[in-house]
Amino acid sequence: MKKILFSPIIMAFFTFFMLIMIPNSWIERLIPKQRVSQAATELNPLMFQGKYIQSKMLQDHRYLPIYGSSELSRLDEFHPSNYFKENKAGFTPFLIGRGGSISLIHFLNFAEHTDELKGKKLVFILSPQWFQPQGADEPHFVPNYSMLQGYDLAFNHKIDPKVKKMAMRRILHFAPLKDDRMLATLYKAENSNNPWDKGKAALVRPFAYAYRSALGKKDLYYALFGASPRKREINPVVRHKSWAQLRHEANQMGQRESTNNPFLIINSKYNKIKKRVPSMRNYNRGVSYGHSVEYYDFQLVLDLLKESGAKPLFISIPVNGRWYDYTGFPKSGRTAYYKRIKHQIEAEGYPVADFSNHEYDPYFLKDTMHVGWKGWVYVDKAIKDFYNER
């Protein structure tokens, strides 16, 4: 009986040991060549939180990475992934981000790939909703945090120590770091002159390094076995159309799909919030996106991109003016954000596709905050113009 009981345990341990001991180079040789192209629209958090697939993508001139958050999952005919599939422009969009991918999450990701970002064009879509007064919160940070990227930051000696220390101080506020005593010890020591803190870090560093290696191997196994490409129907409606034609067709599509509310929100989304709408009237009086901890986190992103030599285009998305007026969110609190974020980016010498004057443009957004039919047409044009610039 004992032999039968312990055999599966021994076998499981042996299998785990063998998986860990297999050289990384062997695993990499088994990863299919099409794995990167499959991941371009996969929107899989394991890829966002990993390293291998993104590294291969950034090394390939055929891909233009587009970083953002929940708007990236609003796939439709006019979405960049479809538009540039139907209208060849010399690149394939590669989507990186999901709901809650705020500045600190992107910082950790960029820190992982500083070498590969040099000279690389990329697109970064900003969301006003990130800029709450308190900045990033636990519900958004925790599910998007990458343990691999967190550990790699601890061993990253390539980025500016000042930027690294500031980022570590911010990240230490969140539960994944507080609960990870080994990594927290390394982060705290980075910002401390106390010999005791430095001594503890020296003791845990070999164990942290080994754990980091295991996390890297896990990422390779994900790249090998974790493919889950989205099934996308070909939507040739955008093929070989002028921008004016595309805006017209996007407008018509928005009209057809947003008929049951005065906010021009897509019907399916409005049906989900319909019962709560009366309670939202004037709910956001006195609120502003003009003052937020997020601006300081976003500056870390800007500093890192500058240091790495990346060539980003930032896209400033508006909110739904009709909805925000209804909830009592002051126009001044939105304008303060649009102006501040544009100034912050341009101060670093980077271009901004600023669409803040489209708050009331019908069907620019699909709901209260996410890019919609017509909005994607404007974004597509901005991306194409940016990519073609020398």
Side-chain angles (χ1 to χ4, degrees):
M1 180 65 74
K2 287 184 179 180
K3 184 178 180 181
I4 296 173
L5 179 64
F6 283 106
S7 292
I9 298 175
I10 295 171
M11 182 60 68
F13 179 80
F14 178 76
T15 302
F16 176 75
F17 179 77
M18 290 301 296
L19 289 172
I20 290 293
M21 293 305 295
I22 294 174
N24 289 356
S25 59
W26 292 12
I27 304 172
E28 289 185 33
R29 284 199 291 268
L30 296 174
I31 297 172
K33 291 182 179 180
Q34 71 272 22
R35 186 66 187 92
V36 176
S37 62
Q38 288 176 336
T41 56
E42 199 173 75
L43 291 170
N44 192 318
L46 293 177
M47 183 270 290
F48 305 152
Q49 296 166 345
K51 180 177 183 178
Y52 177 83
I53 292 176
Q54 288 192 62
S55 291
K56 290 296 182 183
M57 177 273 296
L58 289 169
Q59 294 165 18
D60 193 328
H61 70 277
R62 293 175 297 175
Y63 295 101
L64 177 69
I66 301 179
Y67 299 85
S69 52
S70 52
E71 73 284 335
L72 295 179
S73 65
R74 269 56 181 182
L75 296 166
D76 61 29
E77 291 84 346
F78 307 98
H79 189 286
S81 290
N82 187 66
Y83 175 80
F84 291 108
K85 184 176 187 298
E86 298 302 315
N87 299 275
K88 305 301 182 185
F91 66 88
T92 297
F94 193 102
L95 309 179
I96 304 169
R98 64 169 182 162
S101 297
I102 36 73
S103 298
L104 286 176
I105 296 299
H106 286 298
F107 174 87
L108 282 167
N109 198 2
F110 286 138
E112 184 78 89
H113 302 284
T114 49
D115 289 342
E116 294 124 0
L117 287 170
K118 185 175 178 59
K120 184 75 176 181
K121 285 190 173 183
L122 61 91
V123 176
F124 193 105
I125 302 177
L126 290 154
S127 294
Q129 295 74 27
W130 297 355
F131 293 81
Q132 304 289 338
Q134 75 279 6
D137 58 14
E138 293 281 346
H140 289 98
F141 183 86
V142 173
N144 291 294
Y145 168 71
S146 164
M147 193 175 292
L148 171 60
Q149 293 170 6
Y151 270 84
D152 276 350
L153 180 64
F155 291 93
N156 190 325
H157 303 298
K158 297 179 180 180
I159 64 176
D160 183 345
K162 182 180 177 182
V163 173
K164 179 180 175 180
K165 289 177 181 180
M166 290 174 64
M168 285 179 164
R169 285 199 297 269
R170 281 288 293 132
I171 297 169
L172 274 168
H173 286 90
F174 297 94
L177 266 294
K178 293 177 183 177
D179 297 339
D180 188 337
R181 293 187 178 182
M182 186 160 58
L183 188 55
T185 298
L186 296 181
Y187 276 33
K188 288 175 182 176
E190 195 81 26
N191 283 282
S192 174
N193 293 318
N194 188 321
W196 175 244
D197 291 333
K198 299 290 188 184
K200 286 194 295 183
L203 286 173
V204 304
R205 194 174 300 277
F207 301 99
Y209 187 87
Y211 187 53
R212 171 203 182 199
S213 299
L215 291 171
K217 182 149 291 182
K218 178 183 175 183
D219 179 53
L220 286 177
Y221 280 121
Y222 159 71
L224 178 60
F225 298 115
S228 57
R230 285 182 169 229
K231 293 181 179 179
R232 288 197 302 117
E233 295 181 6
I234 296 175
N235 295 299
V237 67
V238 298
R239 190 180 296 166
H240 307 318
K241 302 284 178 67
S242 70
W243 296 116
Q245 288 174 315
L246 288 171
R247 288 193 295 270
H248 176 70
E249 293 187 12
N251 205 68
Q252 288 187 318
M253 189 171 293
Q255 282 182 320
R256 290 195 300 269
E257 297 186 28
S258 307
T259 59
N260 66 352
N261 64 90
F263 311 109
L264 307 186
I265 295 172
I266 189 170
N267 293 345
S268 57
K269 175 65 175 178
Y270 188 74
N271 288 335
K272 294 178 180 179
I273 66 171
K274 196 177 197 177
K275 293 180 179 178
R276 295 190 286 113
V277 168
S279 65
M280 294 300 292
R281 184 186 288 274
N282 294 324
Y283 181 80
N284 287 321
R285 282 180 296 186
V287 179
S288 174
Y289 291 146
H291 300 280
S292 171
V293 178
E294 189 71 20
Y295 288 102
Y296 303 101
D297 293 343
F298 180 60
Q299 187 61 46
L300 294 172
V301 172
L302 291 173
D303 292 342
L304 193 58
L305 290 175
K306 177 76 74 173
E307 184 184 355
S308 68
K311 297 181 178 179
L313 167 69
F314 291 91
I315 296 180
S316 179
I317 299 299
V319 298
N320 184 326
R322 293 173 178 82
W323 174 256
Y324 269 62
D325 289 345
Y326 178 82
T327 65
F329 198 116
K331 177 74 171 175
S332 60
R334 289 125 61 179
T335 302
Y337 159 76
Y338 298 137
K339 289 182 177 179
R340 182 171 178 179
I341 201 68
K342 187 171 187 286
H343 178 268
Q344 187 175 3
I345 295 167
E346 290 181 338
E348 300 299 332
Y350 292 133
V352 186
D354 181 8
F355 297 118
S356 58
N357 61 341
H358 288 268
E359 275 197 351
Y360 299 98
D361 189 353
Y363 317 116
F364 191 94
L365 300 176
K366 189 165 281 189
D367 47 39
T368 62
M369 64 183 76
H370 296 109
V371 186
W373 312 270
K374 196 194 298 183
W376 282 130
V377 176
Y378 281 93
V379 170
D380 292 338
K381 185 178 185 304
I383 291 174
K384 186 173 183 179
D385 291 345
F386 165 69
Y387 187 81
N388 289 332
E389 288 176 357
R390 298 300 176 188

